[in-house]
Amino acid sequence: MTEKKQSAEAMEPDVHKKIKAAFKAFDYESNNKVDVREIGTVIYSLGCFPTQADLHDIIAGVEEDHTGYITLDKFLPAMTKVLLEHKFPPIPEDLLLQAFEVLDKEKKGYLEPEELTKHMTQEGELFTQEEMEEMLTALADHEDNFVYYKDLISQLTIDPDM
Amino acid sequence: MGCGVSKSDQFHKSSSKAIRSAILIQRWYRQYVARTEMRRRYTWHIFQSIEYSGEQAQIKLYNFLGYLMDNFTPASNERNLISHIFRENDVCRDAEWERYFCYKNIEVPEIYSGPHLTFPLTVEQAVGLVEAFRNKKQLHSRYVLQLLLETWKQLRMLPNINRISTCQSKEITICGDLHGQLEDLLLIFYKNDMPSLENPYLFNGDFVDRGKDSIEILIILFSFLLVYPSEVYLNRGNHEDHIINLRYGFTKEVLTKYKMHGKRILKLLQKIFSWLPLATVIDQKVLVLHGGISDTTDLAVLARVNRHHYVSALRPPKKRHQSSASLSIDLDMDEDIWSPNKMFLRRKSFTFLKTVPRDSFQNRSLQDFSDRIKVDEVEICRRKPSISNPATGALENEAATSVSSESISSQSGIDEWKQILDLLWSDPMNQDGCVPNEVRGGGCYWGPDVTEDFLNRHNMQLIIRSHECKQEGYEFCHNRKVLTLFSASNYYDVGSNRGAYVKLGPDLVPYLVQYQASSMIRELTVRQSVGRTERSALKVLREQVFAHKSDLICAFKTFDSNNTGLVCLNDWASAVESVMHLGLPWRMLRYQLVPCKTNGGMIDYHEWFNELAIKGPSADHIDQSLLETLYRHRSTLETIFRIVDTDNSGFITIQDFRQTWKLLSVYLKMEITDDTISDLVVTIDRNQDGSIDIDEFMEAFRLTDKKSRLERGRSMFMGTATDLTKLEGDPNI
């Protein structure tokens, strides 16, 4: 346990640099501020897989009341903690596969767009119509419009950082 | 067990399972979208960094050559090699020009299957040209020259600033950079109809370079300009400049397509570019110009300048009357010689030994600028001044140099030049203020406060500019008071961006239309095209990195004092940035650039270079580090060759080849002995006929990575000969 803690501390400067780099990409005016609506992208891009609820919690902890912006000062320590504690680890491929299989009740091996749309827009942390359209454009097969999830998972899962 | 579970329990259980699954998938997908967005951003950043650093390099080179020009003796060979690009053409009178460009002697053979033009041009002919180019025809040089002459006459009558008004229901269509991409222009005409009395157009500069059909675009635009002089408007862009064209492909395109008359066409175009209007004002409220503004931009000044004196915006026009003071030399060559501030200041005050008398200055040679160069004794002797009488030496020197050296005597001359430079090269930034644009090397970055102030002062409401590629083809900034418009789709790579044009009616509310050329794009999903563009950007980046191998290894070694061959990620990123100077998020790119597994969080840099698996340029008996340096500067090298190749034949003599190396070696502060040059000559002059084929030479420096050669399409990043589709050149044209 001590070892893990030690190595975590040693990794801190590394982690800081990573967070700053991701933050900077959305800091358009170079004033160490990022629009709260884009901070989700920053957090995701650091390799975390929070739910929307998790995101809201993080944001609530760092947002500058009512300005609509998040400053680096507050974001850095909060995000560092998240990363060092591996709070929102990536989803293992097999778990993801199981999730798709749950939705694919008939065990067809693919999901029809209507099926997927129903689940994504009516259950869980609902997708907006825009998000749904984008997902289908990205994931559905060109010809038959079905979502062959098995192939997608291996294509789209990324390597964990660190 | 089974009957203990009620139906509703079962329903809830499976339902909650479904909900949890949905949440998992949503989490996963949103993460994926965010990662893709990040990748898209840095891919863009890569392309843009490399593009702008190329522009910077060209300005640097040009300033270096200008500096040499100012300091070489009139008789020196090096000067003769490069002086012609500084030679302004206004020594000729208009009548002489007409004679020089006489097209009447040029016969059009029976066999020619392209369009024939008669003047004055008619609408049908202009439309016919569009069709012909769509069908891959080429316009005969006789007609090209004739067209250009008529265009020149037309442009001369135009003011520096076009003033147009949208009356009643006339909407004007404004297009941004086209960069030789004919497909985009054809697409615009398809969607928006061709120019006509009811359909006015304004083209906002950068018609040429990078794409492969620059001359065709010019021909089309000029034709419509002649046919509809009150409905078609053109603004000059920073690429309407022969110095930039040398590097970015337009010069090469014209010389390739028009082997016999290309040189004349280019010369005439130099003049035409200088006569292009600088800006356009619509309804006195909307300003349209190519680059942007600065905190000193003044439309009243711009309206008064002699715009045709600025053949290249990179150099202010020379004055006939001479400045007095001796030109002393700023020896601080490597830092900031390219920076815009120094560009003006350089003319006014140098810091070198003021006590150096004029005639000993005449003895200055290459050796004095860079004491690391070993120069033959013979060479030094050759540079002794040919002016024998020391008393009149100074005057004669001045007279002799008046044609091609430049001297800015007045502050207003400098101010004027800055106005034009800013107009053509500036970019907007998000912070307030105005700072020199050091990324590109010309113009400045201007902030929202400058926009506000400018618009108030001139009582205007909107600035429309181009100059920067935008993913969606356009982008608003500065509280929607500045609109960037870019009309070359797929600019960096297939799928990289859309193009856009804007329609402006009497209400002056911009209405934007986007498009993307190439049907292949529409079939790719957004994610797929990001991936494709990303792969392309990374490949380019890997090559750039590889080209700096020696310097990178040195940099890594400074972090690896124990010589373990390993560096940590932080140090890797610092080292790479210190060598590459591209300002890229290296840490984010690390996984893409360094595919090998880390050694406990450390990167094995030797293994990295092995894995890059790009074979170095071939030519075994040449020193590897020399080859690497040359590879890195190959665009500069090729540009210098094209400059030296004064008759544009594609060949240079061995003698000139040697001189080029001397030039390059001073520029790069690199030691290069005569023996080394001889070795290079032996490698290149295969048939030993005393002349060197430029293309063949550049070929020797291509990396021999088979895959990349096949995939390499655009000349932008490589700048070497074989990237432009080599037309065999119809001898009849």
Side-chain angles (χ1 to χ4, degrees):
Chain A
M1 204 49 192
T2 337
E3 219 179 68
K4 194 175 178 191
K5 201 176 172 196
Q6 269 175 351
S7 66
E9 274 168 11
M11 289 199 284
E12 221 178 82
D14 232 34
V15 167
H16 281 167
K17 281 211 166 157
K18 254 179 75 161
I19 297 173
K20 283 183 187 163
F23 191 87
K24 251 178 66 171
F26 289 86
D27 175 14
Y28 305 125
E29 291 177 34
S30 301
N31 56 1
N32 287 334
K33 287 196 192 146
V34 166
D35 190 317
V36 68
R37 291 165 295 182
E38 297 201 292
I39 206 74
T41 309
V42 177
I43 295 173
Y44 280 128
S45 74
L46 287 165
C48 299
F49 285 77
T51 61
Q52 299 286 76
D54 296 326
L55 269 183
H56 286 140
D57 289 340
I58 300 175
I59 291 174
V62 297
E63 189 178 2
E64 298 284 314
D65 321 296
H66 312 302
T67 57
Y69 281 103
I70 293 181
T71 61
L72 184 58
D73 296 333
K74 286 201 174 163
F75 185 68
L76 190 61
M79 201 60 216
T80 305
K81 196 152 179 277
V82 164
L83 287 184
L84 289 179
E85 290 175 14
H86 300 285
K87 268 196 179 156
F88 307 112
I91 302 167
E93 276 189 33
D94 50 353
L95 217 59
L96 192 56
L97 184 59
Q98 273 177 39
F100 273 107
E101 281 170 350
V102 164
L103 301 186
D104 178 14
K105 291 193 199 75
E106 296 151 39
K107 310 291 174 234
K108 305 187 296 297
Y110 59 84
L111 283 168
E112 286 169 26
E114 298 79 25
E115 261 185 290
L116 187 57
T117 303
K118 185 162 93 82
H119 288 293
M120 294 291 103
T121 57
Q122 292 177 17
E123 289 167 0
E125 296 184 322
L126 315 182
F127 269 7
T128 62
Q129 199 194 9
E130 207 188 320
E131 280 180 299
M132 195 62 235
E133 276 170 19
E134 204 190 41
M135 187 190 210
L136 286 175
T137 316
L139 302 187
D141 180 276
H142 282 314
E143 288 167 30
D144 53 25
N145 231 13
F146 294 152
V147 180
Y148 292 91
Y149 49 84
K150 278 204 189 116
D151 304 326
L152 288 172
I153 291 172
S154 41
Q155 274 175 36
L156 301 179
T157 311
I158 34 82
D159 287 319
D161 274 339
M162 292 215 237
Chain B
M1 280 27 99
C3 18
V5 179
S6 73
K7 249 196 180 165
S8 69
D9 274 348
Q10 212 162 27
F11 174 73
H12 281 300
K13 208 167 155 194
S14 63
S15 183
S16 79
K17 203 172 175 192
I19 291 175
R20 282 203 312 275
S21 299
I23 293 183
L24 200 73
I25 295 172
Q26 286 154 344
R27 256 173 74 195
W28 165 78
Y29 184 72
R30 282 175 169 136
Q31 213 275 0
Y32 170 69
V33 169
R35 294 272 307 190
T36 307
E37 175 60 21
M38 266 312 200
R39 282 161 61 206
R40 192 194 62 72
R41 276 173 195 251
Y42 67 63
T43 300
W44 197 258
H45 195 167
I46 291 174
F47 277 126
Q48 215 167 43
S49 294
I50 295 179
E51 175 183 6
Y52 294 167
S53 80
E55 282 184 344
Q56 192 199 98
Q58 182 63 357
I59 292 184
K60 233 166 148 164
L61 174 66
Y62 187 63
N63 282 339
F64 166 73
L65 294 176
Y67 166 74
L68 290 182
M69 280 295 299
D70 291 345
N71 296 294
F72 276 148
T73 63
S76 86
N77 288 328
E78 293 84 359
R79 187 172 227 255
N80 291 335
L81 282 181
I82 60 176
S83 63
H84 68 100
I85 61 168
F86 297 96
R87 203 166 289 141
E88 308 294 6
N89 296 312
D90 52 1
V91 283
C92 295
R93 271 176 235 113
D94 293 349
E96 283 171 20
W97 270 83
E98 297 227 22
R99 243 180 290 132
Y100 179 64
F101 294 112
C102 188
Y103 53 87
K104 298 192 179 128
N105 303 332
I106 304 175
E107 277 200 24
V108 182
E110 290 278 321
I111 198 176
Y112 170 71
S113 62
H116 294 266
L117 298 182
T118 58
F119 289 80
L121 221 51
T122 62
V123 179
E124 291 74 29
Q125 292 189 78
V127 172
L129 278 170
V130 177
E131 267 319 295
F133 294 148
R134 190 199 305 274
N135 295 320
K136 315 271 189 249
K137 300 277 187 207
Q138 189 172 311
L139 184 65
H140 196 277
S141 51
R142 178 201 172 98
Y143 300 129
V144 175
L145 284 166
Q146 204 172 353
L147 176 68
L148 294 183
L149 276 172
E150 293 303 310
T151 305
W152 173 45
K153 289 181 195 163
Q154 176 72 24
L155 288 175
R156 273 162 56 190
M157 300 193 297
L158 298 178
N160 293 346
I161 301 181
N162 293 317
R163 285 181 191 276
I164 53 186
S165 68
T166 58
C167 357
Q168 295 303 84
S169 52
K170 257 198 204 175
E171 265 184 335
I172 179 159
T173 305
I174 306 171
C175 299
D177 294 23
L178 286 168
H179 280 303
Q181 299 190 184
L182 182 61
E183 209 184 332
D184 285 303
L185 184 58
L186 294 177
L187 188 49
I188 294 173
F189 284 165
Y190 175 73
K191 288 170 81 77
N192 197 54
D193 287 334
M194 293 198 225
S196 70
L197 292 172
E198 292 79 33
N199 195 16
Y201 270 85
L202 163 55
F203 294 93
N204 200 16
D206 277 12
F207 319 123
V208 303
D209 275 335
R210 295 200 171 111
K212 60 177 181 56
D213 296 312
S214 299
I215 190 71
E216 279 75 28
I217 290 194
L218 283 184
I219 292 170
I220 292 175
L221 296 184
F222 292 158
S223 303
F224 278 111
L225 176 74
L226 291 175
V227 172
Y228 293 117
S230 308
E231 281 77 29
V232 173
Y233 298 90
L234 304 177
N235 285 342
R236 187 177 185 181
N238 65 312
H239 278 259
E240 274 69 60
D241 185 325
H242 68 116
I243 298 300
I244 300 294
N245 299 150
L246 275 168
R247 190 181 189 114
Y248 286 103
F250 181 52
T251 308
K252 203 190 309 184
E253 180 192 326
V254 172
L255 295 175
T256 305
K257 288 180 178 171
Y258 292 97
K259 286 197 166 10
M260 249 177 49
H261 300 285
K263 198 175 162 198
R264 271 202 239 171
I265 292 174
L266 286 171
K267 229 15 187 193
L268 191 46
L269 277 169
Q270 267 185 45
K271 215 159 165 58
I272 287 178
F273 286 164
S274 73
W275 276 107
L276 284 169
L278 297 172
T280 300
V281 175
I282 303 176
D283 287 350
Q284 297 166 316
K285 289 286 176 195
V286 177
L287 175 65
V288 187
L289 34 60
H290 177 74
I293 60 172
S294 74
D295 52 358
T296 54
T297 298
D298 185 341
L299 290 184
V301 171
L302 281 166
R304 286 193 316 257
V305 306
N306 287 314
R307 70 181 190 272
H308 63 285
H309 284 173
Y310 295 85
V311 175
S312 165
L314 300 184
R315 197 170 175 87
K318 60 193 186 327
K319 304 270 189 250
R320 289 312 179 94
H321 45 274
Q322 292 310 298
S323 71
S324 49
S326 46
L327 281 171
S328 19
I329 312 150
D330 187 314
L331 270 187
D332 239 312
M333 263 188 74
D334 45 353
E335 53 132 18
D336 301 336
I337 193 170
W338 54 270
S339 93
N341 281 330
K342 272 250 165 71
M343 240 159 47
F344 326 133
L345 293 175
R346 185 156 78 84
R347 314 293 172 202
K348 284 199 288 184
S349 65
F350 300 102
T351 51
F352 193 61
L353 310 159
K354 293 236 170 74
T355 54
V356 174
R358 263 217 135 218
D359 50 0
S360 73
F361 167 70
Q362 288 166 4
N363 288 327
R364 293 259 176 267
S365 66
L366 274 178
Q367 187 163 23
D368 300 306
F369 307 151
S370 172
D371 50 16
R372 275 186 259 154
I373 303 306
K374 293 183 173 45
V375 176
D376 279 348
E377 290 296 330
V378 175
E379 304 280 12
I380 297 178
C381 294
R382 281 206 291 130
R383 285 194 200 97
K384 284 214 179 87
S386 51
I387 300 164
S388 47
N389 188 344
T392 59
L395 272 173
E396 272 182 88
N397 191 28
E398 279 183 351
T401 58
S402 71
V403 177
S404 38
S405 81
E406 52 104 335
S407 42
I408 288 300
S409 42
S410 61
Q411 181 63 41
S412 68
I414 297 180
D415 288 343
E416 242 186 44
W417 178 37
K418 184 182 189 293
Q419 294 270 335
I420 294 186
L421 206 56
D422 288 340
L423 186 151
L424 295 175
W425 282 84
S426 299
D427 290 315
M429 63 176 176
N430 289 317
Q431 301 92 311
D432 281 346
C434 191
V435 296
N437 189 331
E438 304 199 338
V439 173
R440 295 205 200 234
C444 64
Y445 284 119
W446 88 93
D449 57 334
V450 177
T451 298
E452 189 69 33
D453 180 60
F454 179 88
L455 290 175
N456 287 337
R457 244 186 308 126
H458 292 90
N459 202 15
M460 294 190 183
Q461 65 193 52
L462 176 65
I463 297 174
I464 299 180
R465 45 89 64 175
S466 301
H467 198 41
E468 280 182 299
C469 182
K470 294 293 177 190
Q471 172 112 10
E472 294 299 318
Y474 73 94
E475 189 175 274
F476 282 98
C477 66
H478 294 191
N479 294 321
R480 289 184 83 87
K481 302 227 171 112
V482 174
L483 169 62
T484 300
L485 189 62
F486 198 81
S487 301
S489 67
N490 305 323
Y491 181 61
Y492 289 129
D493 191 10
V494 171
S496 66
N497 64 289
R498 292 170 147 145
Y501 56 86
V502 69
K503 298 188 74 78
L504 214 58
D507 59 359
L508 297 182
V509 173
Y511 172 67
L512 285 138
V513 179
Q514 295 168 296
Y515 53 85
Q516 197 154 16
S518 172
S519 54
M520 190 175 66
I521 304 307
R522 284 171 231 127
E523 282 157 29
L524 290 176
T525 65
V526 173
R527 307 293 157 225
Q528 282 172 318
S529 66
V530 166
R532 204 183 175 295
T533 317
E534 185 188 19
R535 275 193 296 279
S536 180
L538 288 166
K539 184 153 59 159
V540 171
L541 192 55
R542 264 183 234 118
E543 264 211 1
Q544 290 273 312
V545 160
F546 184 79
H548 289 80
K549 179 173 165 182
S550 304
D551 286 350
L552 281 167
I553 292 193
C554 276
F556 290 142
K557 289 212 161 105
T558 63
F559 289 104
D560 179 24
S561 43
N562 295 333
N563 222 356
T564 59
L566 302 171
V567 287
C568 71
L569 181 59
N570 268 347
D571 293 340
W572 175 83
S574 307
V576 173
E577 177 59 24
S578 72
V579 170
M580 305 296 295
H581 297 298
L582 288 172
L584 291 173
W586 297 105
R587 302 174 56 93
M588 254 188 245
L589 299 170
R590 167 249 191 280
Y591 278 101
Q592 317 280 25
L593 287 176
V594 189
C596 45
K597 291 280 172 230
T598 58
N599 205 332
M602 306 286 275
I603 295 174
D604 181 335
Y605 50 89
H606 290 294
E607 200 194 319
W608 179 36
F609 283 111
N610 290 340
E611 276 205 7
L612 277 176
I614 304 174
K615 257 180 78 184
S618 55
D620 303 314
H621 56 294
I622 307 294
D623 178 55
Q624 270 304 305
S625 70
L626 172 65
L627 277 181
E628 188 188 300
T629 308
L630 297 178
Y631 179 74
R632 194 185 324 164
H633 296 280
R634 60 202 188 286
S635 286
T636 299
L637 182 56
E638 188 180 358
T639 306
I640 294 180
F641 278 147
R642 298 224 172 265
I643 294 174
V644 168
D645 176 22
T646 47
D647 63 357
N648 296 314
S649 61
F651 288 87
I652 59 174
T653 65
I654 302 279
Q655 184 55 30
D656 287 345
F657 182 77
R658 285 182 180 279
Q659 294 299 336
T660 307
W661 283 110
K662 291 277 161 47
L663 272 174
L664 189 69
S665 62
V666 176
Y667 180 61
L668 298 178
K669 300 222 153 175
M670 197 175 86
E671 203 175 285
I672 173 161
T673 62
D674 270 0
D675 284 344
T676 314
I677 299 179
S678 299
D679 285 343
L680 280 165
V681 168
V682 159
T683 313
I684 302 312
D685 180 19
R686 303 252 163 80
N687 57 2
Q688 312 253 320
D689 65 351
S691 74
I692 289 172
D693 182 332
I694 296 176
D695 289 342
E696 198 183 17
F697 182 82
M698 294 313 299
E699 192 59 35
F701 289 96
R702 288 172 73 79
L703 292 186
T704 54
D705 175 9
K706 274 204 192 116
K707 205 165 62 150
S708 67
R709 189 183 295 187
L710 285 172
E711 287 177 71
R712 214 176 275 152
R714 310 185 64 87
S715 60
M716 163 168 59
F717 296 109
M718 310 300 152
T720 54
T722 49
D723 292 309
L724 265 185
T725 314
K726 246 193 183 145
L727 299 176
E728 252 324 290
D730 184 338
N732 297 311
I733 285 181

